[in-house]
Amino acid sequence: MATPASQSTGRITQRPCFFGNPEKTKSSILSVGRCNNGGGRGGRNIRCANAVNGAVKINGKAANVRSSAAQPVTVDSDDTFRLGKFVEGRLVYRQRFVIRSYEIGPDRTATMETLMNLLQETALNHVMSSGLAGDGFGATRQMSLRKLIWVVTRINIQVDKYSQWGDVVEIDTWVASSGKNGMRRDWIIRDRRTKKMIARATSNWVMMNRETRKLSKIPEEVREEVLPFYLDRNIIAGDNHNPSPNRRIEKLTDATAESVRSGLEPRWSDMDVNQHVNNVKYIGWILESVPLNVLVEYHLTSITLDYRRECRQSQLLESLTTMSSTGMLSPSLCSGDLQSTHLIRQQDDKAEIVRARAEWRCKEHH
């Protein structure tokens, strides 16, 4: 199983091209120059590029080359974009991301959905880079043979600081067993510049048959695949100040909810390759029923989502929310921390899809 490594894009210095015998070297510098018996700038550490009828060949192999009269020609490589790597003896997978302009909200910081998407991307790349990936979405080879997929049952993310546009974050992820038939995946998000941890998350996963949509035990063959990658390390442990993320979330009803938003309809773009709504999409629906002043004046510092059933595109949804304040003054004055409880349910039969619990902190005090 090969470990992906960060590589810089090769460069080609534009010079008149001569045909000859190219030399294989280890350098990433590519020079279009005289190639005769290993020649060209002394004949050392230079790969030769030959132009044949407008196509470019490097050491005899076709290459994808973009040329410009004003800039050097660039040779693309898939490895250039594989930014992740394994650390701690291949038990931890690490990847870096730049916060893009379309990943920030009105307050110019990354949104909770952005962070959750980055966690998901890192997890999938972890499986791909480990050499275990089958033809499924994060599934191993043995899982693909048995038509099994991973589904998340619960995830908790805690944020100390939201990154801004252009910031670079570094995410570590690893996996461990969770009971007899589950898996736990944890993450750490660090600011690349300061190296400080700015967020952390933990999640629980189980297997489901992608055709019958029924939960499945972990086959022994799958367990043997993932066991070498298990790291028994908890990033979020319960204590008096931070209760366990696995504690029960109370169910909201029409009587206990302070606000209800109906008529929420999953779109085609909300679906993932496992043919159900992507787990990150529920955060947006949860926020639909949160009071506007809370969204403007508070940061969402922690959220736990308890996924209770699948959601398909044809279902209309409702979002229920109730807020509570830990401060002495009105929540609208942004004087104290807030807590909230949420429920996403089907609109027609009121069947539960997701329960959630969140914590909020005033932006001025964060």
Side-chain angles (χ1 to χ4, degrees):
M1 293 180 290
T3 302
S6 299
Q7 297 184 3
S8 59
T9 303
R11 294 175 297 168
I12 295 181
T13 303
Q14 293 181 322
R15 297 178 58 197
C17 184
F18 298 86
F19 295 98
N21 299 320
E23 179 186 29
K24 295 184 178 180
T25 69
K26 298 181 179 180
S27 172
S28 63
I29 303 299
L30 305 177
S31 178
V32 179
R34 184 180 300 276
C35 305
N36 188 13
N37 297 325
R41 294 195 179 184
R44 294 184 180 181
N45 295 329
I46 297 176
R47 293 180 184 177
C48 183
N50 292 338
V52 181
N53 296 328
V56 175
K57 291 186 177 182
I58 300 176
N59 294 337
K61 296 182 179 180
N64 180 18
V65 178
R66 299 194 307 267
S67 62
S68 171
Q71 296 180 353
V73 180
T74 301
V75 178
D76 288 339
S77 169
D78 289 342
D79 290 338
T80 302
F81 305 101
R82 292 181 180 175
L83 304 181
K85 64 179 180 180
F86 283 94
V87 296
E88 298 190 39
R90 292 179 61 84
L91 295 177
V92 177
Y93 182 75
R94 178 173 296 168
Q95 189 162 0
R96 292 174 178 172
F97 299 92
V98 177
I99 303 301
R100 309 295 185 180
S101 60
Y102 51 82
E103 295 174 324
I104 61 175
D107 61 358
R108 304 192 179 196
T109 62
T111 64
M112 180 62 78
E113 290 113 309
T114 292
L115 298 185
M116 293 276 284
N117 278 322
L118 295 183
L119 298 184
Q120 181 172 266
E121 180 69 11
T122 306
L124 291 171
N125 289 339
H126 180 197
V127 177
M128 186 68 66
S129 299
S130 69
L132 297 178
D135 59 358
F137 197 52
T140 68
R141 291 189 179 91
Q142 291 296 327
M143 290 175 62
S144 296
L145 291 174
R146 292 163 175 78
K147 302 178 181 179
L148 298 174
I149 59 175
W150 287 113
V151 291
V152 60
T153 58
R154 177 173 280 221
I155 186 168
N156 171 248
I157 178 170
Q158 300 177 5
V159 182
D160 296 325
K161 181 180 183 243
Y162 282 93
S163 301
Q164 296 181 336
W165 175 30
D167 287 350
V168 179
V169 296
E170 184 177 81
I171 303 180
D172 286 3
T173 187
W174 62 92
V175 293
S177 62
S178 177
K180 293 183 179 180
N181 286 293
M183 184 184 73
R184 190 186 78 245
R185 177 176 287 278
D186 288 0
W187 297 267
I188 292 176
I189 304 181
R190 298 185 185 90
D191 183 279
R192 181 175 178 268
R193 182 178 59 83
T194 65
K195 302 300 182 183
K196 291 183 178 180
M197 182 175 68
I198 58 177
R200 54 185 178 168
T202 187
S203 60
N204 293 319
W205 301 74
V206 295
M207 287 188 182
M208 183 177 75
N209 186 290
R210 69 169 179 258
E211 293 185 353
T212 66
R213 315 310 283 187
K214 293 182 178 180
L215 297 184
S216 169
K217 294 182 179 180
I218 298 181
E220 192 60 34
E221 293 82 357
V222 176
R223 199 183 306 274
E224 292 177 359
E225 280 184 310
V226 298
L227 185 61
F229 294 90
Y230 278 176
L231 175 62
D232 190 13
R233 175 187 298 169
N234 287 298
I235 191 57
I236 299 179
D239 54 38
N240 292 333
H241 299 287
N242 296 292
S244 171
N246 292 321
R247 75 186 190 274
R248 185 173 180 270
I249 301 176
E250 296 296 328
K251 177 183 178 180
L252 283 184
T253 65
D254 291 318
T256 58
E258 295 177 352
S259 60
V260 179
R261 177 69 182 275
S262 301
L264 302 173
E265 184 176 5
R267 301 169 299 175
W268 174 252
S269 60
D270 296 327
M271 311 297 287
D272 64 22
V273 298
N274 288 328
Q275 305 305 313
H276 57 206
V277 171
N278 186 285
N279 66 83
V280 178
K281 299 296 183 179
Y282 294 103
I283 296 179
W285 291 326
I286 286 172
L287 298 181
E288 286 291 327
S289 58
V290 173
L292 180 59
N293 69 288
V294 174
L295 299 177
V296 172
E297 299 174 5
Y298 286 81
H299 277 305
L300 179 55
T301 58
S302 174
I303 188 169
T304 301
L305 297 106
D306 186 358
Y307 301 91
R308 307 182 75 83
R309 70 175 62 205
E310 286 187 291
C311 179
R312 300 299 184 94
Q313 187 184 0
S314 60
Q315 298 169 333
L316 278 179
L317 307 178
E318 289 183 324
S319 175
L320 288 70
T321 290
T322 187
M323 308 290 304
S324 61
S325 174
T326 59
M328 299 298 295
L329 301 177
S330 168
S332 63
L333 298 179
C334 200
S335 59
D337 294 346
L338 299 178
Q339 296 178 345
S340 58
T341 305
H342 309 270
L343 175 66
I344 302 295
R345 68 186 184 188
Q346 293 178 185
Q347 186 168 308
D348 54 358
D349 60 3
K350 311 303 181 185
E352 293 183 83
I353 296 179
V354 175
R355 291 187 189 184
R357 178 179 51 244
E359 297 178 0
W360 308 76
R361 184 170 297 174
C362 182
K363 291 180 180 179
E364 295 178 359
H365 302 159
H366 189 55

